[in-house]
Amino acid sequence: MSQPRIIIVGAGFGGLAAAKALKNTPAEILLIDRTNHHLFQPLLYQVATSVLTPSEIATPIRGILRNQKNTTVIMGEVTGVDKDQKCVIVSDADRQNVPIAYDYLILATGASHSYFGHNEFAEYAPGLKSVADAEAARNKILLAFETAEAEEDADRHRDLLTFVLVGAGPTGVEMASALAIFVRSTLKSDFRRIDPASAKIVLVDMAPRVLGTFSEGLSKAAKQRLEKLGVEVRLGHSVDQIDADGVVVAGERIASKTVIWTAGVAPSPAGKWLNVETDRAGRVRIQKDLTVPGHPEIFVVGDTASLDQNGKPLPGVAQVAMQQGRYAGKLIHRRLVGDPPPSPFSYFDKGSMAVVGKGFAVLQSGKVHVSGFGAWLAWAAIHLQFLATSSLRLAVFLQWAWTYVTGQRADRLIVNPPGSEPTRPAADTAIKKAVASR
Ligand SMILES: Cc1cc2nc3c(=O)[nH]c(=O)nc-3n(C[C@H](O)[C@H](O)[C@H](O)COP(=O)(O)OP(=O)(O)OC[C@H]3O[C@@H](n4cnc5c(N)ncnc54)[C@H](O)[C@@H]3O)c2cc1C
């Protein structure tokens, strides 16, 4: 008799945890992801700010699961689910809309950026969600300095060297502080015509405080730290406009050529594929056993699922996704081997952390609220522990140690994507003017 087939869509934190929990399950497991790598999103900002290279935060999925013989990894994009026929619709580089049948389905497709109804902002304010996003942000930041150095008109330096981050949650705070240190220490001696330390970094949020999910005390500590690093923090006003010349906040224009979106996220279209009830954000409402009502064979986990605990929705964080993925895998395993089901899912909150520059982090876990160097050491140890492989843990540890001691950063190459212009028009003009004046 053929074995039951379990399809997992998404090899992020939730999907990978589910696959690992099914390691000894008598089933054929298909893990489908549109990329070939598992990405450690919490460290994306370090790629964007040249601390780490992409391969230090992303690992090939099939490499992680190479010893898991019951699991096949497929690189493909799921575009729909047929609940009645029990199949997912998959497109890959070679074939479009191929139906693949399942007995059990785990959807772990995560989230993408949300511009809160202002999709026109996307062109000028890219977000930070994938390796490509982080590389694009790094290119943009490094290119701004190169363009300014080539530009003889000092009046143009101001907007080239102004960096605006929209969204003062953990990603915005971490990115702003890493950028502040990058411009004031790493790049300090590298330019002749411009002073990188004069760069302006502005962090904008409509919320009244940074790190709004943390306690007021930690928020305040983080804001003070940001200001000490030279970041200008503007709170309490939403962004009215983002265009090629910068952003408009509370009627005031901040001229900038580099705006990065670190605000909202929107779930994947899993709710639309399934045509089931979602919450206001579009996340699939699931039951306490993480299945979709009326479909005990369909599980939804992580950022694309909505589940309340103690009257509050669970947050979109890696721990929730991992614990839910593990639970879904365990439940399916038990069903298949005839064991009683586990008790309903309950999230164990281990706490939250955010790093604010070199040697400083905030940590909140239950009644423990700490900030400073100790919290930073805990942040570093925990992030290393959760990287996908031991070789990555070693590589990242060594890179961090090197950066901490020397202030130097690993990856400062501007790698233009195919078809893009090698230089921006402003730099072209400046170079032509310089040549002509000789
Ligand atoms: C910049 C950033 C910083 C963060 N920092 C933290 C942090 O410090 N701490 C924390 O706890 N959380 C953090 N988070 C949130 C955390 O990363 C997410 O909560 C977590 O990744 C959710 O896991 P997931 O499995 O639901 O989705 P993801 O990890 O996003 O995985 C989704 C997977 O599904 C795949 N996929 C999506 N759609 C399809 C499709 N149609 N077909 C095939 N494959 C598909 C994607 O390629 C991806 O591999 C951060 C997120 C970001 C973006």
Side-chain angles (χ1 to χ4, degrees):
M1 258 176 56
S2 68
Q3 287 190 320
R5 182 185 282 160
I6 305 165
I7 292 188
I8 304 170
V9 187
F13 286 106
L16 196 60
K20 286 181 176 173
L22 289 161
K23 186 175 180 189
N24 298 315
T25 304
E28 177 197 6
I29 297 150
L30 289 190
L31 177 55
I32 304 174
D33 200 292
R34 61 183 170 204
T35 72
N36 78 335
H37 50 265
H38 167 76
L39 173 62
F40 194 83
Q41 291 175 19
L43 292 178
L44 268 174
Y45 81 94
Q46 296 211 352
V47 172
T49 52
S50 296
V51 178
L52 296 175
T53 62
S55 60
E56 284 169 331
I57 66 161
T59 320
I61 303 160
R62 58 182 74 260
I64 299 172
L65 296 171
R66 66 181 178 282
N67 294 325
Q68 191 162 318
K69 299 293 177 214
N70 63 353
T71 305
T72 303
V73 178
I74 306 278
M75 185 171 154
E77 170 108 25
V78 168
T79 54
V81 176
D82 185 333
K83 284 182 299 185
D84 301 325
Q85 298 297 318
K86 287 194 178 178
C87 61
V88 293
I89 315 298
V90 188
S91 297
D92 61 28
D94 192 34
R95 294 180 302 162
Q96 296 294 306
N97 300 322
V98 178
I100 306 181
Y102 63 80
D103 296 291
Y104 288 94
L105 174 64
I106 302 176
L107 292 175
T109 38
S112 57
H113 320 297
S114 165
Y115 287 88
F116 306 122
H118 286 283
N119 289 344
E120 71 277 11
F121 290 173
E123 187 182 347
Y124 306 105
L128 205 56
K129 196 72 193 142
S130 64
V131 171
D133 292 339
E135 284 192 316
R138 187 196 62 205
N139 282 348
K140 220 170 175 218
I141 292 164
L142 294 172
L143 195 55
F145 285 97
E146 296 298 340
T147 311
E149 180 82 340
E151 173 63 66
E152 291 175 323
D153 178 359
D155 290 346
R156 285 211 63 239
H157 290 169
R158 184 82 315 226
D159 57 343
L160 283 167
L161 297 184
T162 297
F163 301 88
V164 180
L165 297 147
V166 183
T171 304
V173 166
E174 290 181 337
M175 175 98 183
S177 50
L179 194 51
I181 292 172
F182 186 48
V183 303
R184 312 227 196 286
S185 58
T186 314
L187 297 183
K188 197 173 63 185
S189 318
D190 289 13
F191 293 86
R192 300 293 168 263
R193 292 175 170 180
I194 56 163
D195 174 13
S198 70
K200 192 165 145 184
I201 296 148
V202 188
L203 180 63
V204 183
D205 202 304
M206 65 187 293
R209 55 192 179 93
V210 303
L211 300 179
T213 54
F214 286 71
S215 70
E216 278 198 31
L218 291 182
S219 249
K220 207 170 146 195
K223 182 167 179 271
Q224 279 170 355
R225 179 74 181 178
L226 282 165
E227 286 168 345
K228 203 170 162 200
L229 291 170
V231 176
E232 191 179 314
V233 183
R234 294 198 182 196
L235 300 170
H237 297 289
S238 60
V239 168
D240 304 325
Q241 195 179 329
I242 306 181
D243 54 32
D245 297 321
V247 302
V248 178
V249 183
E252 187 197 335
R253 179 168 283 281
I254 305 171
S256 168
K257 292 290 174 206
T258 312
V259 183
I260 310 236
W261 187 262
T262 53
V265 291
S268 76
K272 289 194 183 116
W273 298 337
L274 295 171
N275 192 19
V276 291
E277 191 195 345
T278 59
D279 65 9
R280 274 192 13 206
R283 302 185 302 166
V284 177
R285 284 209 190 277
I286 50 169
Q287 309 180 109
K288 282 280 181 194
D289 64 355
L290 312 187
T291 61
V292 171
H295 287 274
E297 75 286 7
I298 303 179
F299 297 74
V300 184
V301 302
D303 279 7
T304 210
S306 169
L307 182 68
D308 288 358
Q309 188 167 304
N310 304 326
K312 281 200 267 175
L314 292 176
V317 294
Q319 273 300 326
V320 171
M322 282 194 273
Q323 290 179 30
Q324 289 186 335
R326 223 172 283 138
Y327 180 95
K330 188 168 150 189
L331 197 156
I332 294 172
H333 176 87
R334 288 195 178 198
R335 276 196 207 158
L336 289 177
V337 298
D339 282 352
S343 41
F345 176 78
S346 173
Y347 171 55
F348 176 62
D349 185 359
K350 294 181 182 166
S352 332
M353 286 180 283
V355 69
V356 198
K358 187 177 173 180
F360 189 98
V362 293
L363 184 161
Q364 180 168 315
S365 177
K367 290 191 175 139
V368 179
H369 294 186
V370 284
S371 60
F373 188 68
W376 181 78
L377 280 180
W379 172 90
I382 288 167
H383 279 68
L384 283 176
Q385 185 197 335
F386 281 109
L387 284 168
T389 62
S390 38
S391 60
L392 278 192
R393 287 190 274 279
L394 180 64
V396 171
F397 172 75
L398 291 175
Q399 192 54 58
W400 281 350
W402 178 254
T403 302
Y404 193 92
V405 175
T406 64
Q408 291 306 308
R409 298 205 180 173
D411 196 355
R412 288 172 46 192
L413 307 184
I414 299 171
V415 185
N416 291 292
S420 68
E421 291 296 320
T423 52
R424 290 167 66 168
D428 275 351
T429 316
I431 291 163
K432 278 180 203 147
K433 267 199 296 186
V435 172
S437 67
R438 283 206 178 146

